[in-house]
Amino acid sequence: MRLIFLGPPGAGKGTQADRIAAHFNVPHIATGDMMRQAAARGTDFGLKAQEYMDRGELVPDDITNKAAKDRISEPDAEKGFILDGYPRTLEQAFFLDDALEEIGARLDRVIYFRIMGAAIVARVAGRRVCPVCKTNYHEVTHPPKVEGICDLEDAELVQREDDSPDTVLRRLEVYGEQTKPVAEVYSSRGLLVDVDAMGTSDEVFGRLLALIEK
Ligand code: AP5
């Protein structure tokens, strides 16, 4: 099973990619997570990526493509994967076509998370992350057992640097300019299906399962 989850910031792609990946026992490959992890380790790739992420801009295609190709070529991705947040430019989408051809794989579906603007704002504004294990919470919809503290690591939850209102606005603009056209390409190939990303996490998960198992 090879799926791409596409959609605006805060649509719930990462939350659902985690659940779907666990359900089907395939890796959840999120370029944003890979970049944040690399930045925390202080690698050249991570530090370069951080400069762009902090401004809400896309990280340049060449280094993003290399990281994505290396990851989908790893042995655990042979049986399939959920790609979350990649590709998000036309250049990345065409690069992915070639990378998949090289490893003799093809995409099954591209799932587009459809969500209203007000819900995006509410989801991003309430997101809190554990700085140690990177678990995502939400102040209202998915709070930790003890306010402000990770259930797993006993660490104080933080807000992502790029979740500040100005940066979110820029991420949304970038999404419209550079990532929407990617959805159009997959739609023209008959690969794109929409999921209604409004409602609870369980409701969205149920809709995704129904779509994938159809
Ligand atoms: P990335 O990390 O990919 O961020 P994003 O695409 O903007 O998406 P988010 O992580 O903000 O949201 P999500 O849709 O995963 O929502 P989530 O499940 O967390 O990218 C960040 C940056 O990295 C980019 O700006 C760019 O700089 C760089 N980058 C990454 N990939 C790149 C690429 N391919 N090319 C170039 N640059 C790249 O949910 C959000 C919140 O809502 C959470 O708190 C969650 O608990 C809550 N929630 C989730 N579902 C529900 C629900 N159903 N109901 C209520 N609350 C919910």
Side-chain angles (χ1 to χ4, degrees):
M1 184 180 65
R2 294 182 186 83
L3 302 176
I4 292 175
F5 284 4
L6 257 186
K13 305 179 298 293
T15 301
Q16 297 300 334
D18 261 349
R19 297 184 69 172
I20 294 290
H23 187 86
F24 290 102
N25 194 27
V26 292
H28 167 196
I29 299 177
T31 41
D33 290 347
M34 288 164 56
M35 289 164 181
R36 282 184 287 276
Q37 283 158 11
R41 286 198 306 273
T43 67
D44 288 346
F45 167 60
L47 295 176
K48 182 87 185 157
Q50 180 99 57
E51 289 173 29
Y52 293 87
M53 295 172 87
D54 285 350
R55 298 200 309 268
E57 303 292 340
L58 292 183
V59 175
D61 286 332
D62 55 344
I63 57 176
T64 302
N65 282 334
K66 181 180 181 324
K69 184 178 179 186
D70 288 351
R71 182 64 189 89
I72 62 171
S73 307
E74 283 179 25
D76 68 334
E78 264 175 37
K79 61 188 175 210
F81 49 72
I82 316 283
L83 271 179
D84 159 19
Y86 180 89
R88 328 151 86 104
T89 65
L90 289 175
E91 187 176 328
Q92 290 179 18
F94 299 137
F95 179 91
L96 178 64
D97 289 342
D98 293 342
L100 288 173
E101 201 178 313
E102 253 180 59
I103 59 174
R106 66 172 181 79
L107 288 173
D108 294 306
R109 281 198 190 90
V110 179
I111 301 185
Y112 181 80
F113 282 56
R114 199 162 284 287
I115 185 166
M116 291 188 329
I120 293 178
V121 173
R123 287 186 187 180
V124 171
R127 173 165 45 199
R128 296 293 179 272
V129 185
C130 173
V132 181
C133 68
K134 312 300 175 199
T135 301
N136 259 321
Y137 296 87
H138 189 279
E139 280 189 324
V140 178
T141 60
H142 178 39
K145 292 185 185 111
V146 177
E147 193 184 335
I149 304 292
C150 177
D151 293 345
L152 308 172
E153 292 291 342
D154 200 25
E156 212 165 304
L157 301 180
V158 295
Q159 194 164 23
R160 247 170 63 175
E161 282 294 327
D162 60 348
D163 277 349
S164 66
D166 284 353
T167 312
V168 171
L169 207 62
R170 181 61 194 143
R171 284 163 61 200
L172 283 166
E173 283 170 0
V174 167
Y175 174 78
E177 289 159 9
Q178 301 193 53
T179 308
K180 274 266 179 81
V182 173
E184 284 154 24
V185 165
Y186 287 126
S187 174
S188 71
R189 294 180 187 176
L191 280 173
L192 195 80
V193 282
D194 276 16
V195 68
D196 175 5
M198 299 294 290
T200 67
S201 177
D202 285 349
E203 285 167 348
V204 180
F205 181 65
R207 289 178 203 134
L208 281 169
L209 277 186
L211 262 181
I212 293 166
E213 285 168 347
K214 203 154 79 179

